Amino acid sequence: ENILSHLPQGRTYMLLGKSGVGKSILLYKLIDLYLRNKMPCIYIAYDEYPAQIRTSMRNFIRDLDASEDRGLLNFVDCYSGLSGMKSQEKISIGLPGDVNDLNLKITDLISSPRAEGAVKVFLDSATSMFIHCPTDTVLKFLMILSAKAKSRKGSFFFTLGEGAVSVSYAATELASK
């Protein structure tokens, strides 16, 4: 519970690591803590179907369904389009590389009246974005998303697998904007 007091508001956090080290689980635990404190969260699903993510999240997040029903937790499906399947989510993008559409949908969620307070945005995983978009496009998107979350005194968390992009390049670019 005390971890929240050590995570300043209005920041961007990159969780970097090899596959299987627990980056997603850490996101789930953070989401649980924020939801228990009535802070709105947006989860951008880039690596799995949201239904699969919910199954995993149920082990870590209390009252997942109630949080969604109250509008405290919103999923954005960026994965279903890969398989050509119609998303079952309220919010989705058709093509994983369509960062413009994703940007607009996230903007709508962040500025929604239901998203009062410091919105927390979680992207799991930014690694997949580099498959669909040029590096500069992804970094620009991450910077824009970070700025939007910060404008609401929120925070932006994203995971990144080792080797997806030069970490020093990504950190330098994100810090300079």
Side-chain angles (χ1 to χ4, degrees), residues 10-12 103 106-107 110 119 121 139-156 174 177:
R11 300 289 170 93
T12 298
N103 187 15
I106 298 298
T107 300
I110 288 175
V119 176
V121 180
L139 292 175
K140 181 179 177 184
F141 171 77
L142 294 173
M143 286 184 273
I144 290 169
L145 194 53
S146 173
K148 287 181 181 187
K150 290 176 185 180
S151 75
R152 294 290 303 261
K153 297 183 177 32
S155 299
F156 175 46
L174 288 170
K177 305 297 181 205

Side-chain angles (χ1 to χ4, degrees), residues 121-136:
V121 180
F122 298 86
L123 170 61
D124 195 16
S125 154
T127 304
S128 299
M129 296 183 82
F130 290 98
I131 295 168
H132 304 287
C133 301
T135 299
D136 287 346

